[in-house]
Amino acid sequence: MVISSLLNLQLGSVTDDHTRNAVRESQNRVKSMALIHQLLYQSELFTGINFSEYLEQLLQSLHNTYCKPGSNIRYIIRLNP
């Protein structure tokens, strides 16, 4: 989360759209890795994660980042844990 916050601060000084998009992409990658680490540390054995839980949280994060409020995008996950 620290790296993501630092990237967010950097966005405040970026005016070029191409650069802003590149920083946002980096921020999303960092958040994806942080989510995996969070789920690993919450597991009892530190050997694996519930992939369906990870995918649900990842898709929600991507939806919040890229979709405009009121957009009509749905996703359906059909996975075994």
Side-chain angles (χ1 to χ4, degrees):
M1 291 309 294
V2 172
I3 295 170
S4 179
S5 296
L6 289 172
L7 289 170
N8 198 42
L9 286 173
Q10 186 67 39
L11 279 173
S13 64
V14 174
T15 57
D16 177 54
D17 285 340
H18 181 71
T19 305
R20 286 182 77 76
N21 289 336
V23 173
R24 281 194 180 120
E25 287 295 323
S26 296
Q27 192 175 31
N28 287 331
R29 289 184 181 121
V30 167
K31 286 180 181 179
S32 298
M33 289 185 292
L35 179 57
I36 288 176
H37 287 164
Q38 176 187 348
L39 292 174
L40 258 177
Y41 291 129
Q42 290 173 354
S43 71
E44 294 179 17
L45 301 175
F46 304 108
T47 58
I49 62 170
N50 180 326
F51 187 73
S52 60
E53 179 183 352
Y54 168 72
L55 189 58
E56 175 70 34
Q57 291 184 31
L58 180 63
L59 286 173
Q60 185 64 46
S61 175
L62 291 172
H63 185 270
N64 292 340
T65 300
Y66 291 109
C67 294
K68 296 178 182 177
S71 65
N72 197 19
I73 296 175
R74 291 182 353 165
Y75 53 89
I76 300 170
I77 301 173
R78 292 187 181 130
L79 292 175
N80 293 328

